[in-house]
């Protein structure tokens, strides 16, 4: 995890290893959250707050939803294949000053 300063704000970046078989699910969650508008995000957050089953591709964790709401920006992510079993993913979000 690191924070970098840019001209108009800050960029929060994190990364971790992920099993290749789990990429499709995480990518689906990130894309789902990224495609919601502000009202949709708020509704989804409230519904998700009391729903403890997060196994569906459209059920992102509260942290991802919260990052998207508080930053007002889409989440930027990437997956880099390490080997046949694992990849490294990065997640970035920009925060305006």
């Amino acid at each position: 995890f690191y924070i970098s300063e840019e001209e108009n704000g800050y960029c929060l970046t994190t990364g971790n290893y992920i099993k290749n078989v789990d990429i499709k699910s995480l990518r689906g969650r990130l894309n789902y959250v990224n495609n919601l508008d502000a009202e949709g995000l708020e509704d989804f957050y409230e519904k998700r707050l009391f729903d403890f089953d997060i196994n569906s591709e459209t059920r992102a964790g509260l942290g991802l939803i919260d990052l998207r709401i508080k930053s007002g920006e889409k989440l930027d992510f990437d997956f880099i294949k390490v080997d046949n079993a694992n990849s490294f993913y990065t997640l970035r979000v920009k925060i305006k000053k």
Side-chain angles (χ1 to χ4, degrees), residues 3 10 13-14 23 31 41 50 58-59 64 71 75 78 81 85 88 91 95:
I3 301 171
Y10 300 93
T13 304
T14 189
I23 290 174
N31 283 327
L41 278 169
F50 298 104
T58 61
R59 295 188 185 218
L64 294 176
S71 70
L75 305 174
D78 193 22
K81 187 174 180 179
F88 189 82
L91 177 66
I95 309 292

Side-chain angles (χ1 to χ4, degrees), residues 13-18 23 26-27 30-31 34 75-82 87-93:
T13 304
T14 189
N16 208 345
Y17 288 96
I18 185 171
I23 290 174
L26 179 57
R27 181 180 281 126
L30 291 165
N31 283 327
N34 273 344
L75 305 174
D76 183 28
F77 58 92
D78 193 22
F79 297 92
I80 300 165
K81 187 174 180 179
V82 174
S87 290
F88 189 82
Y89 78 93
T90 56
L91 177 66
R92 293 171 294 282
V93 64

Side-chain angles (χ1 to χ4, degrees), residues 35-67:
N35 289 320
L36 292 171
D37 61 15
E39 185 178 329
L41 278 169
E42 291 291 338
D43 289 343
F44 186 54
Y45 184 86
E46 289 178 17
K47 288 177 186 172
R48 183 63 192 92
L49 190 58
F50 298 104
D51 182 1
F52 302 106
D53 177 22
I54 61 171
N55 292 327
S56 169
E57 284 187 16
T58 61
R59 295 188 185 218
L62 290 173
L64 294 176
I65 303 165
D66 203 32
L67 276 174

